Amino acid sequence: MTRQSPETLEARVSEITSEMTAEDHQLVQPPADLWDRIQKSVHAERPASGGGVAAVVSLDARRNRWAGPLAIAASVAILAGVGALILSGPTKATQSKLVASATLGRLEATQGVGTAKLVREGGTLHLLVKTNDMATPPTGSDYELWLVDKKVTDPRSLGAVTGRVTGRNTIDVVVPRSIDPKRFPVVDISVEPTDGNHKHSGHSVMRGTLA
Amino acid sequence: MVEREAIEKRDDDATLSAPGVEVVDPVEFEVDPLVAPFQSGSDEGLKALYDEHGRLVYSYCLRTLGANRAADATQEVFLGAWKSRDRYRPDAGSLAGWLLGIARFKVIDLTRVQHRNGVATGTEIVDEGAAANTKPGDPERVAERILIADALRVLPERSRKMVTMAFFDDYTHQQISEICNVPLGTVKSDIRRGLERLRRHLEGFDDSPKS
């Protein structure tokens, strides 16, 4: 990164300070349990066998954690709709539970296929989406991830995912508490023109239903 | 009010090595003792980081997202920082700036999602910030203002006073020298050191990862 010249820095500081109010100087104490929540979410990210300091957990490593539990789960459990809880046996120590999964089918010939897994970790729901061979989105557009109701009329955005879905990647998105996957079980990836229009474009490229 | 141009002209005219004027020492920064423990990935390192900067991040999230989502967002910011800890470069800027840079991207993403979902569902977007008696604003600008306030907070008292006089009250260095009854070189030195602290925060902010 280029170091700012003293003149540039001074001009930037002058511009910022000209807008400052007393409120900018006020700090608020976080809730008392927030550190515990952060610590739990970090522990949920660490490999189960890592008793000590963990390295950064790659998505590949995270994916591998599922391999055993998923095989066991597939052989002994019957998914009974969205929200069916599969206790993942040996991985219980990781505090990671598979809640539901979906196969994402391609809606366009040029797009890839994928899978989606809804996982509960440390009290937080994560949607992990793995795609294969997705093309780069058209110029001037982004891929966006959505959860949609069963009638496919009420999309809830989980944010732009361009740059994370092309190739063979796994996306890890926290599902906000305001979006209940039981009500919005359809995983949808759409192409959204960067035109400032916040509605779903209607141009979906992959879709599947969590069950 | 004093015009910036006039201040700079006077600065150029000042000779720091002139008799009776203190020489401005090169600005050097101590190594932040939080960095090594944080980058080790240990709980203790992250806890120390949270203890030092948790209020800063939470206050920013509260200002921009409102009370209902501030804690969740802060949790995600620290989890994201922990995952990206090997990408933090101490030479590029301060940890506080880097953390708030991550928080800025998180807030922008969450706000975008909220806006999309509000529009998509046809429901009115709830201004949680207003509900929490806070003043939402452009996440980027709010972050910069809070960062500057934080940098000022940790400055030595004399330096903070002089930076405040120069940037909030628009006094010239000469005027500050006369009002505070200290040599001009000392004023310039203190302000320069203060600006370096602000630079570290702003450049850390600029260098933070998006995810």
Side-chain angles (χ1 to χ4, degrees), chain B residues 92-107:
Chain B
S94 71
L95 265 173
W98 188 75
L99 272 175
L100 219 56
I102 294 174
R104 169 260 321 260
F105 289 126
K106 176 58 63 182
V107 165

Side-chain angles (χ1 to χ4, degrees), chain B residues 78-115:
Chain B
F78 276 92
L79 178 60
W82 182 80
K83 288 179 178 177
S84 301
R85 61 190 181 275
D86 58 337
R87 295 166 67 182
Y88 172 64
R89 299 180 301 132
D91 59 320
S94 71
L95 265 173
W98 188 75
L99 272 175
L100 219 56
I102 294 174
R104 169 260 321 260
F105 289 126
K106 176 58 63 182
V107 165
I108 289 172
D109 195 38
L110 289 173
T111 304
R112 182 183 183 195
V113 166
Q114 181 190 27
H115 189 65

